Amino acid sequence: MAAPVDLELKKAFSELQVKMIDTQQKVKLADLQIDQLTRVQKHAKLTHTEITSLPDNTRLYEGVGRMFILQSKEEINNQLMDKQKTADEKIKELEQKKVYLERSVKEAEDNIREMLLSRRAQ
């Protein structure tokens, strides 16, 4: 009777290890994406700061691929605000995803711990 329980525990433990490794990789990826989005935000803020000091009727060149497009200060400013807003939203989503992933690993660890305790109690 003890052998099937031990096999079950080994199987559950190996599944937990795989899940933990996978989750840790996903958390690292989320951290990298958050860092990248933070850099995008900083760049947008710095560019916005530079643009705000210019007169309103100023036209600026924006790099698009291999071309430069002449646009108004207002259009570029709106694009920068959209970039910042999008980055903020994505960062919030990634932070929520990280919390969920970390919580799921914690729950899995707790389940294994309970299985071990119940096994020892028998």
Side-chain angles (χ1 to χ4, degrees):
M1 176 110 182
V5 174
D6 288 341
L7 274 172
E8 191 176 316
L9 281 173
K10 285 181 183 180
K11 181 181 175 186
F13 185 72
S14 65
E15 287 174 3
L16 174 66
Q17 285 180 318
V18 169
K19 184 177 180 179
M20 284 179 60
I21 290 169
D22 183 49
T23 303
Q24 287 170 343
Q25 289 174 344
K26 287 179 182 177
V27 169
K28 286 179 185 178
L29 178 64
D31 283 335
L32 289 172
Q33 289 172 330
I34 288 170
D35 288 343
Q36 184 178 11
L37 289 168
T38 303
R39 276 186 253 127
V40 167
Q41 279 183 321
K42 287 179 184 177
H43 180 265
K45 284 180 184 177
L46 289 172
T47 306
H48 174 71
T49 303
E50 292 293 322
I51 288 175
T52 53
S53 63
L54 299 172
D56 287 338
N57 60 353
T58 304
R59 295 187 56 79
L60 304 165
Y61 285 100
E62 178 190 12
V64 179
R66 295 181 182 178
M67 301 181 303
F68 288 95
I69 299 173
L70 193 60
Q71 292 188 345
S72 70
K73 173 185 164 183
E74 183 179 338
E75 288 173 353
I76 291 178
N77 202 19
N78 289 340
Q79 290 173 358
L80 290 171
M81 290 297 128
D82 287 345
K83 247 185 203 179
Q84 283 182 326
K85 184 179 176 184
T86 303
D88 281 338
E89 291 169 359
K90 286 183 181 179
I91 287 173
K92 286 178 186 175
E93 287 176 20
L94 289 169
E95 290 289 347
Q96 289 174 347
K97 182 179 177 181
K98 272 180 53 178
V99 168
Y100 170 76
L101 290 170
E102 290 167 348
R103 192 179 319 129
S104 69
V105 168
K106 177 80 171 111
E107 288 173 3
E109 287 174 340
D110 290 344
N111 290 341
I112 293 291
R113 213 171 279 119
E114 286 177 22
M115 288 175 67
L116 286 171
L117 289 174
S118 68
R119 171 71 175 112
R120 288 180 185 154
Q122 291 178 354

Coordinates of all heavy atoms in Angstrom, one line a residue, residues 18-19 38 44 120:
V18 N 8.6 20.6 -12.5 CA 8.4 21.1 -13.9 C 7.6 22.4 -13.9 O 7.9 23.4 -14.6 CB 7.7 20.0 -14.7 CG1 7.2 20.6 -16.1 CG2 8.6 18.8 -14.9
K19 N 6.5 22.4 -13.1 CA 5.7 23.6 -13.0 C 6.5 24.8 -12.5 O 6.3 25.9 -13.0 CB 4.5 23.4 -12.2 CG 3.5 24.5 -12.1 CD 2.2 24.2 -11.3 CE 1.3 25.3 -11.3 NZ 0.1 25.0 -10.6
T38 N 9.5 49.8 -19.2 CA 9.9 51.0 -18.4 C 10.9 51.9 -19.1 O 10.8 53.1 -19.1 CB 10.6 50.4 -17.1 OG1 9.7 49.6 -16.4 CG2 11.0 51.6 -16.2
A44 N 9.9 58.0 -23.7 CA 8.7 58.8 -24.1 C 8.7 60.1 -23.2 O 8.4 61.2 -23.7 CB 7.4 58.0 -24.0
R120 N 3.0 10.9 6.2 CA 3.7 10.6 7.4 C 2.8 10.3 8.5 O 3.1 9.5 9.4 CB 4.6 11.9 7.8 CG 5.8 12.1 6.9 CD 6.6 13.3 7.3 NE 7.6 13.5 6.4 CZ 8.2 14.7 6.2 NH1 7.8 15.7 6.8 NH2 9.2 14.8 5.3

